[in-house]
Every structure is written in structure tokens, then in C-alpha cells.
């Protein structure tokens, strides 16, 4: 088991390096001159050179990358051009908010998706199955923006039940586990959960229907087991694959949060990324994307580590 | 307290243990209604082994699955009567069925690799069944599972209890399936081509093991096979199926030694030539009928070299040509 994990970790290293190089080179892919955001339009060549040197932009690209990477591994992601605060600090707070939202949305997506998927899988071909599939497909195909706005119009504007923006009263950004803060999370979490719920529903449905069609389930019936015990067998057989689907969906969920956090002004990494893009805040952009990318890598690692625990057929060495 | 009871009854008696009467099974999931079983009548005496013989698709598996009521309920209809130990299986409630399956009657499947849950240890799969039917705790059930693995001669059974199915060979898995089937002392054993999916050398070992187990515990047994040699080896009686009907049944020596039904005769001939490496000179011409559109009268008549107008006029009668030998063919009808 330990060896298996060590191997997985080792595989992750080249991925991380590639990811960081891609993040870094964003500066050169992004349109416009990164300096134009900090410099007045009529700055003299002298000042431009000075600022370039200050940001290390006068050195060759690979040197810049090496320096940036060297600082990044020590947790120094530079200073945000927009706010003047350390990027690591900005991301630190945002990622907590994002994770809270993502966790909430995942719980919603996982619970509803698994439940609907199992119901549909157990009744595959029936009207219930078709209805669940229709719900799942609409969950997957509805755009985040549209769903978010519709929810806001209904629950904030018309009914005035839930707040439409932010993560706390008066623009508060520090999260607390009380109803005053939870209220703010409901609409963005539901919006964010729509796609993963749909995909998890469909995957679980397919998995359960497939497992139920297996000969061994008939053999379990022939042993005289009750439907409840057989259900446990079905869940244990579907869990390993379901887990990897859920893992991938968590990753997509973080990606989806960019739009959703923007729609609801939720102070997370998504909103931060959006701000960084629009303000051409290159250090903030590089840092945020790096952290998000590492999050994906970590998530995959976690799924890889958990899968052999659930499925004896996956070798641990 | 470990229940030291051993499976089955220990002697053969003349009393029927299983009576199947006009069993019909239809499937209506697809576009057409498939008539897989069309009026099977079978009587099994206590402790007797009946070989159910027939080509692939003749309804052997469906007959066994109907007996266990493990056909998909939404897509199949079973009519007729199946009495086991004096009780009507087709009238059982879900609860009674769950006690019946694996308790009074148990089944061995064709593909051992597909019939065990891949994510459960084989020992746990036996334990689960024992706890369910024998009302003992897990610890005692584990001892019982160990004992069952010993019956079927699995080497180092203690460690095998904790193996997963993918860690064992097909032959070993089939031994596990047999141990599982015997673990709760069934009185009726249904074996559906238990050796077909195995390697030739292993087939013989498993066949001999099954015969040994049957002699040791004496359960009433239906042994499904498409192999005449296997049927001859293990059966007391043979019932030959064609297109969902039993066309001939009787003592193994009579049916295989002096077959009466043209289909049984053809089956025996094709087997003899089949063993002569691919030269199937005298195999039965034609192919089995479409079960969604059965021919009128005798289902075998389109392939039968003795076919006459009477064959398609109506369903052929079931003629008793001796005390315990029936043939479903107009040629044996009393004039
Ligand atoms: N679940 C099912 N749904 C529809 N048709 C089935 C089903 N199971 C078996 N059949 C049909 O019933 C017929 C008999 O099958 P079976 O009893 O498995 O034959 P065999 O004698 O080879 O065991 C076949 O034509 C098969 O296609
Ligand atoms: Mg079969």
C-alpha cells in the first residue's frame, strides 16, 4: 500500500512541473502587455525598464521561470498588482471560501446524484428511469449563468428569501458556520451542483443497471439473500467506479466555480481568477491557476489512493 | 453451537420430491414473445439424479431458473406447477422464496467466474449464505464454510476463505460454488452445465467431485448438460429437451442405450461423430426452431426424417413405451 502511494506521488511530480510551466507561460499567451496595467500610458523608457527589472521581466524567460518556481515552492507567489497584497494571502482566503462552497455543492451532488442514479438503475427502462434521465440531462445541459440568474430572480428578487450576492452580510468574506452565512451559500451551491448532480446520476444509474444485470446478482438471489443484502453487494460493486466519477466531478466543480462565483460574487478562487483576468493581474493569475491545478492533481491522487481500498481487483503494487 | 447437519436426504425412495407439471415460460421483453419452455413435465424421485440433456437454446437453463424463480419477473411469465417437497414454488411469497432458495434448493451456475461477487472474499460469500439459512453466528458460519471447502477438496482451505474470486482458477472457483451450494444442506441441487466453462482436464475432476458429493449427501439433483457422455456418467434418469419440451425421458440406460425419439437418436449420433474430430457426418440436419414462431404440431418435425402429415396436424402425444420411459412422438402412438 505504501509503495503504491509512493509511486503515485512520484508520478505526480512531473505533472506538477508541467502544470507550473504552463501557468507561468500564461503571461506570454495572454493578450496585451502585462506592464500596461501598472504603468501610466506616457511612462518614459527609463521607468519602464526600471519596473521591468523590479518584476524580473528583463531576464530571459527560463530564468524568470526558475526564479518564480523557486519562490513558489516556498509559498511566495509574488505580490498582487491589483491589491498590493501577497498573492499567497489572497489565494489562501479565497481557497477556503471556494472549498466550503465546493464541499457543500459536492455533498448535494453526490447525495442527490447517487440516490437518483440508484433509483433509476434499479428501475431501468421504466417511466421513473426516463424521468430521472430527463432531470439528469437538464442538469448537465443548463448553463451555470442562466441557472444562477433564474434562481436569483425567483428566490432573491421575487420571493426575497435568500441573498443574491456575497458570502456574508455587508460584504463579509470570512466564513462562519451559522445560518447568517449559510443563507448566502444556498443559491451558489445549488447552481454549482447542477452539472455534477446530473453526471453522477447518469454514471451511477449506468453502473447500478450494469451490476444488476450481472450473473452474480442472480446467483445472490439464488442463495436466498434478501433484496436489502443484495443492495449492499450492488453498492460495493459500483462504488470504485462511482468514486472516480465523483473525483473527476469535484475537479470540474472547482472549474465551474469560476462562473458561479462570478455570478454570485462569492469571494473564492473563481472570483479571484476572474478579477485577475480582467485586471491583467499576472502574478495573481499565475498563482491562482497554479493552486487550482495542484488541487486537481491532489484530487486525482486521492482517488487513486482510495480506489484499491474499495476494489480488491485493483492491485496495490 | 455448530450445526453438524449434513446436506440432503441419505437414501433414494420412490416418493417424488419434485413434480413439474406443464411448465411454460415466456419472455416478453423484446419485440416478440419468446416461448422458451412449452409444457415441461418432470418427476424427480428423492435422491435421484436427472440429467437434463439438449442442444443449446432448448430451454434447460430457463427450466432450472423457473424452478428457483430467478427469472426477471418483469419480463417473464411462468405458468404450470412446480412442487418441491410438497410445496408449490410458483405460489411462494417473497419471504418463503428467500428461505427456499439456497436453503431447500440450491443452484450451481455455468460460469463460476461470473457467478461469485468479485469484490467479496469467497469465504464471506459462503458465510453470508450460512448465516442467512442456518441461523448461526458469523464465527460458527465461518467454521461451516471451512468444512464445506474441505468437502470439495480445496487445498489449504483456511487461507482460501480469505481469497477473492480473481485470485482463484476456474476449477477452484467451481469447487467454491459447489461448497457454497452444499453449505446449507439443500435437499435439491440444480447444476446448470457446471463443467462446460472449464478446461477439459478440470471438467472431469469437477464432474467426479459432484458425483462424490451427490453420493455422500444424497440430494435430489437435476444436472443440465449438452454432453451425452457427461449425462451418462452422472445420471440415474435422463430427460431430453427440444424447443422447450421434454421429448423423451426414462432411465439412463434405456434412453441412451436404446433411444426412441428421432431427436434423441440424432443427438446420440452427432455426439459419436462429434468426438471424431470435426467429421460430423450424421449430425441432425437443419437448425432449432425460432422460439418466437414455433412450427405447428411437433417442433422437431421440420428436421425429422420420419416426418409425416400427422406430425404437423397437432401436438404429438406423450407416449409411455414402458413403465418409466416416455416419448413425445406420433410414431409410438398406439394404433
Ligand atoms: N432473460 C431472457 N429473456 C429473453 N429470452 C431468454 C431469456 N433467457 C433465455 N431466453 C431464451 O430462452 C431460450 C432458451 O434458453 P436457455 O434455457 O438458456 O437454453 P439452454 O438450453 O441452452 O440452457 C433461448 O432461446 C433464449 O434466447
Ligand atoms: Mg444453458
Amino acid at each position: 500500500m505504501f509503495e503504491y502511494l509512493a509511486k503515485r506521488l512520484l508520478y505526480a511530480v512531473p505533472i506538477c512541473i508541467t502544470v507550473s510551466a504552463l501557468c507561468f507561460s500564461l503571461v506570454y499567451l495572454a493578450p496585451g502587455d502585462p506592464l500596461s496595467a501598472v504603468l501610466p500610458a506616457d511612462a518614459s523608457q527609463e521607468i519602464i525598464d526600471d519596473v521591468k527589472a523590479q518584476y524580473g521581466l528583463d531576464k530571459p524567460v527560463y530564468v524568470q521561470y526558475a526564479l518564480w518556481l523557486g519562490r513558489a515552492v516556498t509559498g511566495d507567489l509574488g505580490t498582487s498588482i491589483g491589491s498590493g497584497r501577497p498573492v499567497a494571502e489572497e489565494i489562501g482566503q479565497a481557497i477556503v471560501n471556494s472549498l466550503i462552497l465546493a464541499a457543500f455543492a459536492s455533498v448535494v451532488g453526490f447525495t442527490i446524484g447517487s440516490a437518483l442514479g440508484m433509483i433509476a438503475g434499479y428501475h431501468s427502462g421504466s417511466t421513473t428511469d426516463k424521468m430521472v434521465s430527463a432531470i439528469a440531462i437538464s442538469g448537465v445541459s443548463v448553463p451555470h449563468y442562466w441557472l444562477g440568474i433564474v434562481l436569483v430572480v425567483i428566490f432573491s428578487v421575487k420571493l426575497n428569501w435568500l441573498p443574491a450576492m456575497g458570502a456574508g452580510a455587508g460584504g463579509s468574506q470570512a466564513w462562519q458556520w451559522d445560518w447568517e452565512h449559510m443563507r448566502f451559500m444556498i443559491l451558489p451551491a445549488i447552481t454549482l451542483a447542477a452539472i455534477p448532480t446530473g453526471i453522477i446520476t447518469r454514471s451511477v444509474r449506468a453502473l447500478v443497471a450494469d451490476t444488476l444485470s450481472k450473473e452474480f446478482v442472480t446467483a445472490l438471489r439464488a442463495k436466498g439473500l434478501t433484496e436489502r443484502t443484495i443492495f449492499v453487494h450492488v453498492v460495493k460493486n459500483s462504488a470504485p467506479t462511482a468514486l472516480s466519477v465523483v473525483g473527476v466531478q469535484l475537479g470540474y466543480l472547482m472549474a465551474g466555480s469560476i462562473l458561479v462565483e462570478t455570478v454570485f460574487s462569492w469571494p473564492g478562487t473563481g472570483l479571484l481568477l476572474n478579477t485577475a483576468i480582467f485586471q491583467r493581474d499576472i502574478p495573481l493569475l499565475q498563482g491562482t491557476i497554479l493552486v487550482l491545478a495542484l488541487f486537481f492533481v491532489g484530487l486525482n491522487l486521492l482517488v487513486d489512493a482510495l480506489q484499491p481500498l474499495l476494489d480488491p481487483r485493483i492491485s496495490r503494487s | 453451537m455448530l450445526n453438524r447437519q449434513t446436506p440432503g436426504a441419505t437414501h433414494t425412495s420412490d416418493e417424488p420430491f419434485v413434480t413439474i407439471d406443464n411448465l411454460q415460460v415466456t419472455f416478453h421483453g423484446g419485440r416478440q414473445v419468446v416461448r422458451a419452455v412449452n409444457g415441461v413435465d418432470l418427476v424427480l424421485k428423492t435422491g435421484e439424479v436427472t440429467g437434463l440433456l439438449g442442444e443449446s437454446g432448448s430451454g434447460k437453463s430457463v427450466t432450472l431458473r423457473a424452478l428457483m424463480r430467478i427469472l426477471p419477473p418483469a419480463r417473464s411469465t411462468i405458468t404450470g406447477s412446480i412442487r418441491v417437497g410438497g410445496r408449490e414454488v410458483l405460489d411462494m411469497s417473497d419471504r418463503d422464496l428467500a428461505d427456499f432458495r439456497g436453503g431447500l434448493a440450491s443452484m450451481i451456475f455455468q460460469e463460476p467466474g461470473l457467478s461469485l461477487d468479485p469484490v467479496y472474499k469467497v469465504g464471506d460469500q459462503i458465510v453470508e449464505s450460512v448465516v442467512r439459512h442456518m441461523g448461526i453466528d458469523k464465527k460458527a458460519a465461518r467454521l461451516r464454510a471451512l468444512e464445506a471447502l474441505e468437502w470439495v477438496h480445496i487445498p489449504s482451505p483456511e487461507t482460501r476463505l480469505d481469497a477473492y474470486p480473481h485470485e482463484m482458477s476456474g476449477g477452484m472457483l467451481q469447487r467454491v460454488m459447489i461448497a457454497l451450494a452444499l453449505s446449507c444442506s439443500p435437499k435439491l441441487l440444480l447444476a446448470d452445465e457446471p463443467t462446460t466453462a472449464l478446461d477439459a482436464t478440470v471438467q472431469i475432476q469437477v464432474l467426479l467431485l459432484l458425483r462424490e458429493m451427490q453420493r455422500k449427501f444424497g440430494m435430489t439433483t437435476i444436472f443440465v448438460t449438452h454432453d451425452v457422455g457427461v449425462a451418462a456418467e452422472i445420471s440415474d434418469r435422463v430427460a431430453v429437451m427440444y424447443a422447450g419440451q421434454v421429448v423423451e425421458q426414462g432411465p439412463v440406460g434405456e434412453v441412451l442405450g436404446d433411444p426412441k425419439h428421432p431427436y434423441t437418436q440424432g443427438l446420440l449420433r452427432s455426439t459419436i461423430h462429434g468426438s471424431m474430430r470435426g467429421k460430423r457426418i450424421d449430425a441432425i440436419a437443419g437448425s432449432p426452431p425460432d422460439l418466437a414462431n414455433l412450427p405447428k404440431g411437433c417442433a422437431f418435425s421440420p428436421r425429422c426424417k420420419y416426418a409425416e402429415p400427422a406430425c404437423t396436424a397437432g401436438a404429438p402425444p406423450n407416449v409411455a413405451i414402458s413403465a418409466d420411459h416416455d416419448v413425445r412422438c406420433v410414431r409410438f402412438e398406439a394404433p
Side-chain angles (χ1 to χ4, degrees):
Chain A
M1 188 70 209
F2 176 77
E3 204 179 302
Y4 170 83
L5 277 185
K7 219 164 167 187
R8 290 280 137 187
L9 267 172
L10 215 63
Y11 286 152
V13 171
I15 298 176
C16 288
I17 291 176
T18 316
V19 159
S20 67
L22 282 175
C23 292
F24 182 80
S25 45
L26 274 175
V27 195
Y28 298 93
L29 296 176
D33 180 358
L35 285 182
S36 62
V38 271
L39 288 173
D42 57 351
S44 68
Q45 190 57 42
E46 202 176 318
I47 295 175
I48 292 175
D49 290 344
D50 202 36
V51 173
K52 263 192 175 170
Q54 197 182 322
Y55 282 96
L57 293 175
D58 55 341
K59 301 195 178 66
V61 183
Y62 57 89
V63 177
Q64 289 182 39
Y65 171 64
L67 288 173
W68 177 76
L69 190 64
R71 286 194 308 260
V73 292
T74 63
D76 177 7
L77 293 170
T79 309
S80 159
I81 297 174
S83 68
R85 299 203 311 149
V87 169
E89 216 172 89
E90 295 250 3
I91 296 175
Q93 191 179 34
I95 206 155
V96 171
N97 288 334
S98 275
L99 283 178
I100 289 170
L101 182 62
F104 203 79
S106 316
V107 170
V108 170
F110 178 74
T111 328
I112 298 180
S114 306
L116 285 181
M118 278 179 203
I119 292 170
Y122 254 90
H123 299 95
S124 77
S126 70
T127 322
T128 320
D129 178 26
K130 282 170 193 142
M131 263 164 56
V132 169
S133 291
I135 296 172
I137 290 172
S138 28
V140 175
S141 16
V142 161
H144 278 135
Y145 256 114
W146 187 84
L147 179 61
I149 290 166
V150 167
L151 288 178
V152 165
V153 167
I154 297 174
F155 292 99
S156 309
V157 180
K158 288 255 156 58
L159 297 171
N160 202 20
W161 285 352
L162 294 166
M165 282 173 80
S172 151
Q173 300 213 341
W175 179 256
Q176 272 170 31
W177 290 104
D178 56 25
W179 174 240
E180 267 319 297
H181 286 80
M182 296 279 269
R183 292 174 60 218
F184 284 84
M185 183 154 61
I186 294 173
L187 293 185
I190 290 175
T191 311
L192 194 53
I195 291 179
T197 307
I199 292 180
I200 292 170
T201 302
R202 285 166 54 122
S203 311
V204 169
R205 180 215 169 272
L207 274 168
V208 167
D210 177 59
T211 307
L212 283 173
S213 73
K214 294 263 163 76
E215 180 82 337
F216 78 81
V217 175
T218 308
L220 291 174
R221 290 219 171 86
K223 292 205 302 192
L225 298 189
T226 56
E227 283 305 315
R228 216 174 60 203
T229 318
I230 294 174
F231 177 72
V232 177
H233 279 261
V234 171
V235 170
K236 284 194 180 169
N237 272 274
S238 312
T241 316
L243 176 79
S244 60
V245 173
V246 170
V248 170
Q249 285 314 306
L250 277 183
Y252 285 142
L253 199 128
M254 289 302 276
S257 68
I258 297 169
L259 286 175
V260 174
E261 289 180 4
T262 308
V263 171
F264 290 95
S265 293
W266 182 267
T269 42
L271 188 61
L272 202 61
L273 203 59
N274 198 25
T275 316
I277 292 167
F278 282 102
Q279 299 187 346
R280 291 245 171 75
D281 192 337
I282 297 297
L284 188 61
L285 190 59
Q286 286 172 328
T288 314
I289 292 182
L290 181 68
V291 169
L292 282 177
L294 292 183
F295 177 80
F296 280 97
V297 174
L299 198 67
N300 276 319
L301 209 58
L302 190 71
V303 169
D304 279 352
L306 283 178
Q307 242 179 344
L309 292 182
L310 293 176
D311 190 344
R313 284 166 299 182
I314 296 176
S315 154
R316 274 152 227 205
S317 49
Chain B
M1 268 284 286
L2 182 63
N3 191 337
R4 282 276 164 193
Q5 194 187 346
T6 47
T10 44
H11 63 283
T12 310
S13 84
D14 280 351
E15 201 181 310
F17 185 61
V18 179
T19 311
I20 299 178
D21 206 8
N22 193 21
L23 179 69
Q24 314 225 6
V25 181
T26 53
F27 292 102
H28 33 77
R31 246 171 288 138
Q32 288 176 307
V33 174
V34 174
R35 308 192 160 277
V37 176
N38 301 293
V40 161
D41 301 315
L42 273 180
V43 175
L44 311 189
K45 290 187 195 129
T46 306
E48 202 173 54
V49 180
T50 300
L52 199 54
L53 192 60
E55 287 173 300
S56 159
S58 55
K60 308 181 297 292
S61 300
V62 172
T63 303
L64 289 200
R65 282 164 195 250
L67 211 160
M68 289 296 258
R69 296 241 333 246
I70 49 174
L71 291 167
R75 285 183 287 119
S76 61
T77 310
I78 312 176
T79 60
S81 160
I82 303 171
R83 299 186 72 81
V84 177
R87 297 183 56 205
E88 176 58 58
V89 177
L90 298 186
D91 290 342
M92 282 184 188
S93 65
D94 285 353
R95 242 191 118 119
D96 289 344
L97 261 183
D99 288 339
F100 168 72
R101 297 170 178 155
L104 190 66
S106 63
M107 184 152 170
I108 302 168
F109 292 81
Q110 182 168 346
E111 294 269 359
L114 301 178
S115 318
L116 287 161
D117 186 331
V119 309
Y120 278 60
K121 293 175 181 167
V122 296
D124 292 345
Q125 305 196 41
I126 302 178
V127 166
E128 180 175 56
S129 205
V130 172
V131 169
R132 167 78 184 79
H133 291 291
M134 301 183 83
I136 54 181
D137 64 16
K138 275 203 172 150
K139 234 177 113 187
R142 201 177 151 86
L143 287 177
R144 176 74 176 179
L146 184 64
E147 193 187 357
L149 291 190
E150 282 163 359
W151 292 338
V152 298
H153 316 301
I154 287 185
S156 45
E158 191 101 37
T159 43
R160 284 307 191 177
L161 278 178
D162 291 321
Y164 286 99
H166 73 274
E167 295 166 339
M168 300 175 83
S169 68
M172 279 299 140
L173 284 180
Q174 197 59 299
R175 283 171 192 266
V176 169
M177 280 303 290
I178 295 169
L180 172 63
L182 298 179
S183 62
C184 301
S185 310
K187 292 208 170 352
L188 175 64
L189 182 65
L190 308 176
D192 190 356
E193 309 214 25
T195 60
T196 306
L198 306 175
D199 295 338
T201 48
V202 183
Q203 282 193 2
I204 297 160
Q205 292 168 12
V206 170
L207 187 66
L208 293 177
L209 172 72
L210 271 164
R211 199 169 64 179
E212 179 196 336
M213 293 297 111
Q214 200 279 329
R215 291 198 176 148
K216 180 169 175 173
F217 300 123
M219 359 0 120
T220 308
T221 303
I222 304 183
F223 193 103
V224 166
T225 178
H226 63 253
D227 186 327
V228 177
V230 169
E233 193 65 42
I234 199 156
S235 320
D236 299 316
R237 277 174 60 80
V238 171
V240 180
M241 276 191 87
Y242 185 80
Q245 280 192 328
V246 174
V247 293
E248 179 164 6
Q249 59 176 311
V252 62
E254 274 186 46
V255 174
L256 299 183
D258 182 18
K260 296 292 185 209
H261 196 282
Y263 175 68
T264 317
Q265 292 173 352
L267 195 67
L268 282 166
R269 264 202 305 277
S270 67
T271 305
I272 295 160
H273 294 293
S275 63
M276 282 164 56
R277 288 277 135 200
K279 291 219 162 57
R280 295 178 143 235
I281 317 158
D282 220 357
I284 311 170
S287 50
D290 176 5
L291 295 175
N293 292 297
L294 284 168
K296 224 169 117 33
C298 172
F300 186 63
S301 59
R303 295 170 80 183
C304 183
K305 58 182 173 190
Y306 306 109
E308 47 184 283
C311 298
T312 45
N318 197 28
V319 187
I321 57 165
S322 72
D324 189 28
H325 189 165
D326 294 356
V327 182
R328 198 176 284 276
C329 180
V330 291
R331 296 174 67 226
F332 299 92
E333 207 167 8

